[in-house]
């Protein structure tokens, strides 16, 4: 078996991995190796041909392939080494990647590692939908790949379950391609995805959005013939008296994303029960020293711009670790999710001069709130928001040098 | 009269209120930046959308390459533009940013590739 060495190994050449690898090179790591199982860079951005990327990072509106190309070109210019068609099978002894490619098996001994494997979609198996198992039940991302890359149409009359961003984007895409979209069904009383996607993807094309409803069963074999939809009560249980049969030949699922952490789990990395991603400190280092993490494998993001910024930090710190320059003696301050906050990432701040960015999501939509960070003794940061939404991640950047409390808490409070 | 417009320039999604008399705008409130005012003005008079889709590739490994309009197209013209875009194809080797259709439907907008045709 061939054995290689490198300073920083990055797993996954999507937006997170591309940004982390470039940043690691810029921070002084000599040999940065990016390993990707697909034959092309860009990850999910390859199939996200719609615009809306880069508004925060580049201050211009790009499509997914254009956004990815900028980061790929930069990584190539900086001398990042790429291995495509290569799957990481395991992380052994905390720093060795066991890889498989058409050229055979190999080991990469890395001084530090960045996990950037992204996430995957929840499928029908993750939900409980009664009925037969016909063709025509497909996740929104799979449909996006078939339509945008493989030139294959998925059906003629589509119902979408879940108001996540990919589902809404696909509603518009299907309509543009002449497919009938009968509606989007959302179990929650509010939208899961971004407001701008509801406007540009649903409202522009008169596609109805049915909140507080869900799919109760699927009918038809070997192909979907109809889907039953019912209103839900306060406990999100379907009210069967309201059940209605909707004729369609395809059910598209846009019901959430799961960070893809099999590698992390097998490497003994501690995972967070809420995000499904590794527990990290503000250096984005996991519970295994020398392994860093960023992007959707850490926590599912709604904006790639956030992913790029976060991943650059992970890449930089992975480089510093490889060079023996990342301080490890700083004081640790745990971060708690307080009132109306579902989770905060990172969950621990390493106190240094400088700032830390905390990403968090609220538990429910609200208008006119104060975002407040307290360190147990005083409020260290506060900002008013017109509105907050679980579908839209919040990011706050706070100076950490003056924090004194044993822990800090983020609260979202009504004004 | 007032009309509520949710700004989609960036993901902030500011709720902008346009106060108008007849077809004349009196004022905008609730915007977070100057781009929001510009968006609300266009949205009120003639909503524009970037159109993104794909075209066929001749002789490539992949059947399609992604394209978009290089500026906004009137929302009401999107389906007609799709009919035009569906008729064209590009040769393998066409680089990202190449113009596929000039001035689609007589507008200012060109349709450009957003990836290399491979």
């Amino acid at each position: 078996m061939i054995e290689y060495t490198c300073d920083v190994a990055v797993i996954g050449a999507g937006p997170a991995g591309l940004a982390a690898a470039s940043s690691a090179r810029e921070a002084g790591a000599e040999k940065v190796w990016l390993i990707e199982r697909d034959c092309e860079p860009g990850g999910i951005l390859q199939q996200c041909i719609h615009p809306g990327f880069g508004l925060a990072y580049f201050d211009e509106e790009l499509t997914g392939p254009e956004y990815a190309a900028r980061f790929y070109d930069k990584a190539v210019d900086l001398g990042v080494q790429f291995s495509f068609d290569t799957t990481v099978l395991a992380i052994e002894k905390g720093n060795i990647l066991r890889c498989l490619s058409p050229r055979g098996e190999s080991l990469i001994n890395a001084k530090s590692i960045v996990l950037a494997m992204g996430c995957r979609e929840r499928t029908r198996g993750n939900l409980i939908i009664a009925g037969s198992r016909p063709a025509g039940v497909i996740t929104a991302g799979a449909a996006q790949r078939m339509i945008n890359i493989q030139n294959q149409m998925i059906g003629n009359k589509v119902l979408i379950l879940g108001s996540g961003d990919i589902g809404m984007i696909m509603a518009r895409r299907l309509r543009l391609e002449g497919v009938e979209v009968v509606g989007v069904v959302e179990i929650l009383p509010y939208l899961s995805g971004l407001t701008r996607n509801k406007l540009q993807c649903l409202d522009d094309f008169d596609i109805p959005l049915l909140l507080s409803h869900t799919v109760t069963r699927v009918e038809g074999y070997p192909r979907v013939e109809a889907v039953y939809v019912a209103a839900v009560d306060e406990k999100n249980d379907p009210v069967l008296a309201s059940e209605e049969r909707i004729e369609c030949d395809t059910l598209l699922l846009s019901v959430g994303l799961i960070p893809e952490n099999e590698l992390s789990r097998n490497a003994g990395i501690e995972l967070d029960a809420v995000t499904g991603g590794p527990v990290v400190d503000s250096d984005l280092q996991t519970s295994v020293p020398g392994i860093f993490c960023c992007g959707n494998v850490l926590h599912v993001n709604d904006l790639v711009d956030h992913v790029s910024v976060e991943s650059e930090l992970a890449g930089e710190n992975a480089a510093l670790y490889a060079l023996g320059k990342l301080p490890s003696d700083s004081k640790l301050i745990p971060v708690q999710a307080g009132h109306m906050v579902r989770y905060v990432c990172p969950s621990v701040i390493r106190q240094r001069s400088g700032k830390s960015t905390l990403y968090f999501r609220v538990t429910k939509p609200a208008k006119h709130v104060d975002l407040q960070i307290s360190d147990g003794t005083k409020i260290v940061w506060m900002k008013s928001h017109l509105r907050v939404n679980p579908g839209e991640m919040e990011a706050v950047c706070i100076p950490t040098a003056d924090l004194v409390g044993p822990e800090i808490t983020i609260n979202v409070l009504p004004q | 009269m007032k009309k509520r417009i949710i700004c989609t320039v960036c993901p902030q999604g500011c709720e902008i209120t346009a106060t108008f008399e007849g077809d004349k705008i009196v004022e905008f409130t609730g915007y977070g930046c100057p781009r929001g005012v510009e968006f609300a003005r266009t949205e009120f008079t003639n909503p524009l959308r970037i159109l993104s889709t794909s075209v066929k590739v001749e002789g490539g490994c992949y059947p399609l390459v992604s394209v978009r309009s290089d500026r906004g197209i009137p929302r009401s013209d999107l389906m007609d533009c799709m009919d035009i875009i569906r008729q064209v194809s590009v040769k393998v080797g066409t680089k990202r940013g190449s113009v596929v259709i000039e001035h689609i439907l007589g507008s200012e907008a060109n349709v450009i590739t957003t990836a290399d045709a491979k």
Side-chain angles (χ1 to χ4, degrees), chain A residues 40 49-51 55 59 63 65-66 69 73 147 149 173 175-177 196 199-200 204 303 387 392, chain B residues 6 8-9 11-13 35 49-50 52-54 62-64 66 68 75 79 82 86 96 114 118:
Chain A
E40 303 272 354
I49 65 170
H50 53 279
L55 284 160
D59 198 25
T63 61
E66 292 169 305
D73 292 350
I147 294 170
I149 294 187
R173 188 76 191 101
R175 188 58 75 82
L176 285 172
E177 291 293 350
R196 64 197 304 249
L199 289 163
Q200 295 187 356
D204 273 6
L303 295 182
R387 54 181 194 87
E392 296 174 22
Chain B
I6 296 179
T8 59
V9 172
Q12 283 291 323
R35 287 192 302 186
R49 297 289 181 263
I50 301 277
S52 64
T53 178
S54 51
Y62 296 95
L64 299 172
S66 49
R68 69 170 166 95
R75 189 171 64 188
M79 294 312 268
M82 282 298 290
R86 215 167 272 132
R96 162 165 45 101
T114 57
K118 286 189 267 200

Side-chain angles (χ1 to χ4, degrees), chain A residues 85-102:
Chain A
D85 290 312
T86 306
T87 303
V88 176
L89 300 174
I91 302 169
E92 297 171 357
K93 297 174 190 160
N95 71 328
I96 300 167
L97 305 185
R98 183 173 289 274
C99 303
L100 188 66
S101 78

